[in-house]
Amino acid sequence: MRTPLRATSGGRVTSAGKTGRAGKVLLSGVLAICLAGAMAVPTLPAEAAKPKPPVIPSKAAVERAKQAAASKAAQVGAIERQLAAAAARLEQLGVQSGIADEAYNGAVYRLQQAKAEAAAAAARAAEAQKTLAAQRQQIGRFAAASYQGGGDVAKLAPLFTAEGPQELLDSAGTAHSVSAAMQGSYLRFTATEVMTNLFKVQADQAVVKVKKATDEAAKAKKAAEAAEAAQSAAVTAIGVQRKQSIAQLATLQNISVQVAAQRQRGLEELARQRAAELAARKAAELKRRIAAREAAERRREAAEAAREAAQKAREEREQQKQNQDSGKKNPPKRHKPTPPRDNDGGNDGGSHGTRRGAQAAIDFAMRQLGDMYLWGATGPNRWDCSGLTQGAWEQAGVQLPHYSVAQYEQIRHIDEDELRPGDLIFWSLDPNDPGTIHHVAMYLGNGRMIHAPRTGKPVQIDSVYYWEPPDFFGRP
């Protein structure tokens, strides 16, 4: 048996110990490398792995997917149409409420007219009754005086009975016995009695008319209130429907509700911009036509002024020649002064306003910008359409009724290309019937106008064509 190295001697033991530890470390490293190498060697399968077969949808599955996509697209389109229809419905309700509001203004206007007519008829009837009573007394005094004097006129005593006057005139003998003065008095009495009865009938009819107008005004008020309530309810209901529809769109399109709402707002803004572009083109065309007409009018006025100047020169030459022939120094004929032109604030061809008056009306209307609409309101901080134009033109000294139809009836009618700032623009249900007018605005120039649109909106400036084309035009 070999003795261990460490047992031979101390120095060798030390050397042999170091060598042994190094050998152990080396052996351990070799074993580790071998083990790692063994683990790194892949195990080869008996045969290579096969790839998985691809998933191929059937024709039926593809068709179902197409149908689902088409259904989603159809649902999206339907919801978008619902949103557009809801917006149109709100606009329609706004128009209907405006029509009902102006119908109420019309009913109130007719009631005021009926009351004024009734008061005038009652005053006429009362005055006629006083005149009749005075004439009756005069005839009575005349008859009494004749009776006391024993004359034939004493036979006029039947005048004091209800049927006496007619019986008296029916009697030929009595008629011949009545003096001419008495006959004249009685004939006047008879005529006054006829007129008095007529005035009484008119007064009674006026009272009936007032009652009818009062009932119509009450009905119109209820209709206006119902239209306003319907519009208000629709605003709330359609607002809820809008949110729900946008949420459905978001689900169908796999986007967030915020993105869907933003997209819808963008689509609506795009539609508004397109409508505004169309209105701007129409307004530009209106501006061009107005400018062309004004230019033609200026040329006509210049030609007329030239003709007047030439005529005046001819008359002066003829007058000078006559003076020379007769040896007299007659003064030249005086010419009637030409009325001031419409464009300098004077005569405007029959209307009551002027350019300066129109500016006063415009300035007043502009100060009301932002005031909210209120049906039946005439200020100072709430207005309906005819209330605003009435208040504006009142600043120019022009009194207009609080009713768009009556406003058109009482002003000068003009063509669209005659419009100038301050003129009034009207919309109607029937473009051939001004009696169906239901909205009025004031023209500002450059195709723009100021008006009180409808409930929920303030006094604002819009294009003349922001809505439907206007039908009638007038100048206060």
Side-chain angles (χ1 to χ4, degrees), residues 128 130-144 146 153 156 159 165-166 168-169 175 178-194:
K130 285 174 59 178
T131 303
L132 184 66
Q135 291 178 353
R136 188 188 295 274
Q137 289 178 357
Q138 182 181 12
I139 293 174
R141 286 193 298 269
F142 187 29
S146 298
V153 183
L156 295 178
L159 279 171
Q166 187 60 46
L168 190 61
L169 287 182
V178 177
S179 66
M182 186 63 186
Q183 287 179 348
S185 295
Y186 185 71
L187 289 174
R188 287 193 297 273
F189 171 83
T190 303
T192 302
E193 188 175 35
V194 171

Side-chain angles (χ1 to χ4, degrees), residues 18-136:
K18 290 182 179 179
T19 303
R21 284 195 298 270
K24 288 180 180 180
V25 170
L26 180 61
L27 181 60
S28 298
V30 171
L31 289 175
I33 291 172
C34 292
L35 180 60
M39 293 178 63
V41 175
T43 303
L44 295 176
E47 58 183 37
K50 296 181 179 180
K52 293 182 179 180
V55 178
I56 303 176
S58 66
K59 290 184 178 180
V62 171
E63 187 62 29
R64 286 195 299 271
K66 287 182 178 180
Q67 291 177 355
S71 175
K72 276 191 176 184
Q75 292 178 55
V76 168
I79 292 173
E80 289 178 343
R81 287 192 295 273
Q82 288 175 4
L83 288 169
R89 176 63 177 162
L90 282 180
E91 186 66 24
Q92 181 185 15
L93 286 172
V95 172
Q96 290 176 352
S97 66
I99 292 172
D101 296 347
E102 275 302 285
Y104 169 72
N105 288 339
V108 172
Y109 174 73
R110 289 187 289 273
L111 175 59
Q112 292 171 344
Q113 285 185 316
K115 286 181 176 179
E117 292 173 4
R124 287 194 301 268
E127 186 63 27
Q129 186 64 41
K130 285 174 59 178
T131 303
L132 184 66
Q135 291 178 353
R136 188 188 295 274

Side-chain angles (χ1 to χ4, degrees), residues 83 242-268:
L83 288 169
R242 176 185 171 85
K243 290 182 179 179
Q244 293 174 346
S245 298
I246 290 175
Q248 290 175 345
L249 282 176
T251 301
L252 290 169
Q253 296 172 335
N254 294 322
I255 57 178
S256 70
V257 174
Q258 290 82 1
V259 172
Q262 184 179 7
R263 180 178 185 276
Q264 184 61 31
R265 288 194 298 270
L267 291 173
E268 292 171 356

Side-chain angles (χ1 to χ4, degrees), residues 37 44 50 55 103 105 131 147 184 188 207 218 225 231 251 260 263 299 304 335 417 423:
L44 295 176
K50 296 181 179 180
V55 178
N105 288 339
T131 303
Y147 181 81
R188 287 193 297 273
V207 170
E225 290 173 342
Q231 183 191 10
T251 301
R263 180 178 185 276
R299 289 193 297 270
E304 183 179 345
H335 293 269
D417 57 2
D423 290 342

Side-chain angles (χ1 to χ4, degrees), residues 153-370:
V153 183
K155 297 177 182 179
L156 295 178
L159 279 171
F160 294 99
T161 65
E163 301 296 330
Q166 187 60 46
E167 292 177 3
L168 190 61
L169 287 182
D170 290 341
S171 172
T174 303
H176 285 299
S177 67
V178 177
S179 66
M182 186 63 186
Q183 287 179 348
S185 295
Y186 185 71
L187 289 174
R188 287 193 297 273
F189 171 83
T190 303
T192 302
E193 188 175 35
V194 171
M195 293 304 299
T196 300
N197 291 334
L198 177 61
F199 289 154
K200 285 182 179 178
V201 171
Q202 290 178 345
D204 292 341
Q205 291 176 340
V207 170
V208 173
K209 191 174 181 180
V210 168
K211 176 64 170 61
K212 182 180 178 182
T214 301
D215 293 341
E216 290 178 350
K219 290 179 182 178
K221 183 178 181 181
K222 288 183 179 180
E225 290 173 342
E228 293 289 331
Q231 183 191 10
S232 177
V235 168
T236 302
I238 290 176
V240 173
Q241 178 189 352
R242 176 185 171 85
K243 290 182 179 179
Q244 293 174 346
S245 298
I246 290 175
Q248 290 175 345
L249 282 176
T251 301
L252 290 169
Q253 296 172 335
N254 294 322
I255 57 178
S256 70
V257 174
Q258 290 82 1
V259 172
Q262 184 179 7
R263 180 178 185 276
Q264 184 61 31
R265 288 194 298 270
L267 291 173
E268 292 171 356
E269 175 61 19
L270 181 61
R272 188 198 66 77
Q273 290 177 1
R274 288 172 178 169
E277 290 174 0
L278 178 60
R281 287 197 296 270
K282 290 182 178 180
E285 173 60 21
L286 173 62
K287 183 179 178 181
R288 185 196 64 77
R289 287 190 287 116
I290 291 175
R293 181 157 187 157
E294 289 179 346
E297 183 67 18
R298 286 193 296 270
R299 289 193 297 270
R300 185 192 64 79
E301 291 176 352
E304 183 179 345
R307 284 194 300 270
E308 290 176 355
Q311 178 66 23
K312 181 178 180 181
R314 282 194 300 269
E315 290 176 355
E316 289 177 351
R317 287 195 299 270
E318 291 175 359
Q319 185 66 45
Q320 290 174 359
K321 184 177 179 181
Q322 290 176 4
N323 292 341
Q324 290 173 358
D325 293 342
S326 62
K328 297 179 180 179
K329 299 279 188 179
N330 292 331
K333 292 182 180 179
R334 287 182 174 269
H335 293 269
K336 293 177 67 175
T338 302
R341 299 290 180 189
D342 184 32
N343 56 8
D344 60 12
N347 178 38
D348 68 351
S351 66
H352 304 292
T354 65
R355 288 193 185 273
R356 286 190 293 272
Q359 190 58 52
I362 291 172
D363 291 343
F364 178 86
M366 293 293 287
R367 290 196 295 271
Q368 315 315 313
L369 281 173

